[in-house]
Amino acid sequence: MTDPQAGTPTALSGIRVIDFSRFLPASYVGWLMADMGADVIRIEHPRELAKQTFVAGAAGESEAAFHRRRALQTQARNKRSVLLNPGNEKAREAIHRLIETADVLVEDYRPGTLARMGYGWPEMQALNPRLVYTSVSFTGQTGPYAGRAGHDPAALSLAGALSRLNGLPTPTMPGLQVADVLSGSHATIATLMALMARDRTGRGQRVDVAMSDASAPLMMVTMARNPDASKLGPPDARWQPKGGVWECADGGYICTTDMETAYWRRFCDLVDRPHYADLQHATDQHPAMQQDLKAIFRTRPRDEWAAIFAEADTQAMPVLSLAEAIANEHNRARGVYVDVAHGDETLIHVGTPFHLSDTPGRVRHAATLPGAHTEEILDSLGLSAADIDAIRAEGGFDG
């Protein structure tokens, strides 16, 4: 596959990121920055790789399938990879040298862990005063819960978001990585802000992003509508004319969002219930209206309803499966999902989720094998073949 954007100016050309990430929230930062032209270098910890391959092997996955799955991971693309054990003394010398050349370090270890390996914020600030040091963790670097371990649903729970996420009285586990993506997005924004501040001050700074903190903005609208949070009960799942998800004749679903009065009236006309237009706020009528609308939507297949709503320019979208979303003409035109060459096959990745007119992001390559650029990177730091052999002899490439 040729790259039509090769040679196009990039937004982050000249920025180097050292990526210690192991999970989606922190690796998200390197993904977006790499798409925008930064030189992102992953530190591949042999012990972490061994854990991953052990789990994959125990699940019956071949080594080839494991590496293909890695290549499918959108957030791992466009990055270079160096295999070094951060806890090894010889490897640490090389990593410190690499950090001296960097603009950003991003990590997702539990607070204090990276410091114990020799890469704490005060030490790295002394090593490289211009370094932006971004830490993404479950509950942050400070506060009574600092150092606690947890993943996406627990972060949503602490922020109060899981209690309302599904709109039902009983919370359930989310089917997507909501807190992971939110914290990765916030960490990227904060890192870029810190780089902008460095342009004025000449100094880097610590960026502290907690998954639980990043989940709190999900609650902004609920808080604005309920000034006294102590009086807010759980979601009651009652239908309101602001929209709905409706099962259609073919078993597919369509989502309508006719919140504004003008759109609501148009919706009522399309389903042949014009008299519902004046009942938008008649809460006592809503249960009967909902049952009637359920029956109406079951009279036509999903795509027929979608065409009707599109023709009338009202608010509705078919609920697409992942396969349908990947193939969707609008998503393809916008680069929401993109084809990425990987050897003899083509992989599907999520595209860069925003567009810059003059310095667009681009996909150069899928994730490479761990450590694919080790010698290239070490050589660029001025390490000789003898130096690299010494790292190997001291176990710097081993777990």
Side-chain angles (χ1 to χ4, degrees), residues 146-233:
R148 295 274 293 269
H151 287 292
D152 191 299
L156 293 169
S157 299
L158 180 57
L162 194 67
S163 67
R164 311 195 67 79
L165 193 64
N166 65 4
L168 300 173
T170 303
T172 55
M173 292 288 281
L176 295 169
Q177 290 69 38
V178 180
D180 284 357
V181 172
L182 281 171
S183 53
S185 300
H186 283 81
T188 306
I189 295 168
T191 299
L192 294 174
M193 286 181 174
L195 285 173
M196 291 182 67
R198 189 187 70 174
D199 288 343
R200 297 192 304 274
T201 67
R203 292 184 61 81
Q205 59 184 294
R206 180 75 178 272
V207 174
D208 174 8
V209 176
M211 294 170 63
S212 53
D213 295 357
S215 300
L218 291 170
M219 304 302 292
M220 289 191 298
V221 173
T222 298
M223 291 172 64
R225 292 175 176 172
N226 299 273
D228 186 349
S230 66
K231 296 180 180 178
L232 177 65

Side-chain angles (χ1 to χ4, degrees), residues 109-133:
Y109 286 84
R110 288 175 71 170
T113 301
L114 210 58
R116 289 191 291 273
M117 287 195 282
Y119 310 95
W121 159 238
E123 295 79 14
M124 295 305 95
Q125 184 185 38
L127 182 69
N128 179 356
R130 290 178 56 80
L131 184 71
V132 172
Y133 188 108

Side-chain angles (χ1 to χ4, degrees), residues 20 24 41 62 79 121 131 141 156 183 216 248 293-294 319 349 389:
F20 280 91
L24 174 58
I41 300 174
S62 68
K79 301 178 181 181
W121 159 238
L131 184 71
Q141 305 296 312
L156 293 169
S183 53
C248 303
L293 289 170
K294 283 182 177 180
V319 178
H349 277 203
D389 287 341

Side-chain angles (χ1 to χ4, degrees), residues 20-286:
F20 280 91
S21 68
R22 298 161 300 150
F23 305 108
L24 174 58
S27 64
Y28 193 103
V29 182
W31 159 44
L32 290 183
M33 295 186 74
D35 270 16
M36 302 312 293
D39 177 22
V40 181
I41 300 174
R42 280 188 55 78
I43 305 297
E44 304 283 5
H45 195 319
R47 186 175 66 224
E48 296 293 335
L49 291 172
K51 289 179 186 177
Q52 295 170 23
T53 53
F54 174 80
V55 171
E61 186 176 36
S62 68
E63 184 175 353
F66 170 74
H67 289 308
R68 183 182 185 277
R69 177 161 55 83
R70 176 187 171 93
L72 280 164
Q73 293 175 335
T74 294
Q75 76 275 13
R77 71 175 179 230
N78 284 342
K79 301 178 181 181
R80 295 197 289 164
S81 169
V82 59
L83 182 67
L84 288 169
N85 182 344
N88 178 274
E89 190 63 39
K90 278 290 184 183
R92 185 182 297 111
E93 294 174 11
I95 295 174
H96 278 183
R97 190 178 296 192
L98 189 57
I99 292 171
E100 285 182 302
T101 73
D103 300 280
V104 175
L105 182 154
V106 59
E107 60 95 9
D108 58 7
Y109 286 84
R110 288 175 71 170
T113 301
L114 210 58
R116 289 191 291 273
M117 287 195 282
Y119 310 95
W121 159 238
E123 295 79 14
M124 295 305 95
Q125 184 185 38
L127 182 69
N128 179 356
R130 290 178 56 80
L131 184 71
V132 172
Y133 188 108
T134 300
S135 297
V136 185
S137 61
F138 174 50
T139 50
Q141 305 296 312
T142 62
Y145 293 177
R148 295 274 293 269
H151 287 292
D152 191 299
L156 293 169
S157 299
L158 180 57
L162 194 67
S163 67
R164 311 195 67 79
L165 193 64
N166 65 4
L168 300 173
T170 303
T172 55
M173 292 288 281
L176 295 169
Q177 290 69 38
V178 180
D180 284 357
V181 172
L182 281 171
S183 53
S185 300
H186 283 81
T188 306
I189 295 168
T191 299
L192 294 174
M193 286 181 174
L195 285 173
M196 291 182 67
R198 189 187 70 174
D199 288 343
R200 297 192 304 274
T201 67
R203 292 184 61 81
Q205 59 184 294
R206 180 75 178 272
V207 174
D208 174 8
V209 176
M211 294 170 63
S212 53
D213 295 357
S215 300
L218 291 170
M219 304 302 292
M220 289 191 298
V221 173
T222 298
M223 291 172 64
R225 292 175 176 172
N226 299 273
D228 186 349
S230 66
K231 296 180 180 178
L232 177 65
D236 56 19
R238 286 186 299 176
W239 176 77
Q240 300 177 35
K242 64 182 181 182
V245 178
W246 311 97
E247 185 177 9
C248 303
D250 57 352
Y253 290 84
I254 190 164
C255 176
T256 61
T257 56
D258 295 290
M259 184 181 297
E260 297 90 351
T261 300
Y263 282 111
W264 169 245
R265 288 185 176 278
R266 197 177 303 173
F267 169 85
C268 295
D269 289 339
L270 289 173
V271 297
D272 196 27
R273 294 294 187 273
H275 59 287
Y276 283 176
D278 295 326
L279 301 178
Q280 187 174 16
H281 303 293
T283 56
D284 61 321
Q285 300 296 312
H286 290 172

